[in-house]
Amino acid sequence: MRISTAATPAVTATTTFDTNHGADKATVVPASSVFNFGVYPPVTPGPTPFVFKVPFTTPFAFAGAGGIAWEMLIASRTNTTAFSLDAASGVFNLVGVSFGTGCLASGKTSAASVSSSYSTTTGNLTLNAANFANSAPGALVLGINNQVWNGLPLPFDIPGTTGGSSGTCRVYADYLFDIPLMASATGAMSIATPVAINPSTLGVFFYHWAFGLDAAANSLGVISSNARYTGLGDGTTIGGCRVYAFNNVAATTGSRDSTTLITEFTY
Amino acid sequence: MHPAILSSTACLAFAAGIFAQTTVVTPAQFARLPGPSANTHPIGPTITTSPSMRYQSIHDDMAGKPGSIKGMALRLNEGATSVATSITI
């Protein structure tokens, strides 16, 4: 494994590996070093812990005069099932993570669900819900906690929903306030709000979920969705990129894109 | 304070300073937020897809954060489950 003070900012990095390294390029983990990683369970909504640790055999004396270029030369691996690492790219406006499972509205074949998105064209943050009973009253609920709501550990089963065609409906996030809406003719609810994404919005987060009236779904007459974590970014471009080449650790050039792995350095 | 106690306290503080580890997350926006995208490389692809590879990552926001870097770590994407894997670097 190699690391250096990057010779260039990510935006001008080339597909030639070595030209992106600075003069202080150092081997911090010698070749043929074996790392064994275990099975790590899913964490939602995250962020997940930094579990894929690579301690350096030789510490890197980083002067801080530029960015960092790190490089792994994977000589071999054993895994037969792929898994994904956390990453970012492009302009960071919003991260949304859905979790939990909604229940089923009468006449629907897909579970009630929520989503969120941000449009740079309109400047609107949009919260959506789908697969509710057509043209029925409902609401989008906003909260800030997915662990406990008013003393109740989350998620919890909504009484009166088990045994109905909906299946058991659950609440996955707390309930600070709601926005009453009427589901559309196709069972969708949506609200759009202008939000100026900028450095002051970085880290602002909330949860949302939805419920709707549905007399035929269960004895309570209510169904609920999964939940969605939405975190706001700063509207800036991620200053990172990667260069990679498959099946050849000796490759001198590779493909380049702006995907940047979320990385933790230990000093 | 008794000189011996003062001396011990100073030694402890000194030792803590020597052995204290700090971490820096980059890109810094994601120190407390999950990243908005995901990718399998370089640790997560299968032996069939990518038995070996050269992988380089550049992080602009490490500028101005000097020090002796002793290691690095990556994290699983939110909601993902890893499998046991052995990687030779």
Side-chain angles (χ1 to χ4, degrees), chain A residues 99-104 110-113 166 168-170 172 224-227:
Chain A
F99 58 99
T101 305
C103 55
L104 199 63
S110 298
S113 63
S166 63
T168 299
C169 301
R170 296 184 174 87
Y172 292 92
S224 62
S225 71
N226 63 347

Side-chain angles (χ1 to χ4, degrees), chain A residues 32-39 52 74-81 83, chain B residues 42-47 50-51 83-89:
Chain A
S32 304
S33 297
V34 177
F35 291 86
N36 296 306
F37 300 111
V39 177
F52 300 104
I74 307 281
S76 65
R77 70 176 81 251
T78 63
N79 46 317
T80 55
T81 303
F83 55 86
Chain B
I43 292 177
T46 66
I47 189 173
S50 176
V83 297
T85 186
S86 179
I87 288 173
T88 302
I89 294 178

Side-chain angles (χ1 to χ4, degrees), chain B residues 8-22:
Chain B
S8 298
T9 304
C11 284
L12 284 171
F14 180 67
I18 288 176
F19 297 112
Q21 287 192 328
T22 59

Side-chain angles (χ1 to χ4, degrees), chain A residues 189-230:
Chain A
M189 294 184 278
S190 183
I191 185 165
T193 306
V195 174
I197 302 290
N198 58 53
S200 71
T201 59
L202 177 66
V204 172
F205 75 94
F206 60 90
Y207 297 90
H208 85 280
W209 54 282
F211 67 86
L213 301 186
D214 190 342
N218 51 51
S219 60
L220 181 66
V222 170
I223 70 155
S224 62
S225 71
N226 63 347
R228 175 86 163 176
Y229 164 94
T230 298

Side-chain angles (χ1 to χ4, degrees), chain A residues 1 3 35 37 48-56 70 72 85-86 261-267, chain B residues 23-27 42-43 59 69-76:
Chain A
M1 175 157 184
I3 191 169
F35 291 86
F37 300 111
T48 69
F50 286 93
V51 293
F52 300 104
K53 296 182 184 297
V54 180
F56 294 169
W70 63 260
M72 276 187 189
L85 304 172
D86 200 12
L261 292 176
I262 314 301
T263 304
E264 180 187 72
F265 288 107
T266 299
Y267 284 67
Chain B
T23 57
V24 172
V25 174
T26 170
I43 292 177
H59 299 254
I69 300 179
K70 300 178 175 67
M72 59 163 280
L74 304 173
R75 67 190 187 193
L76 200 58

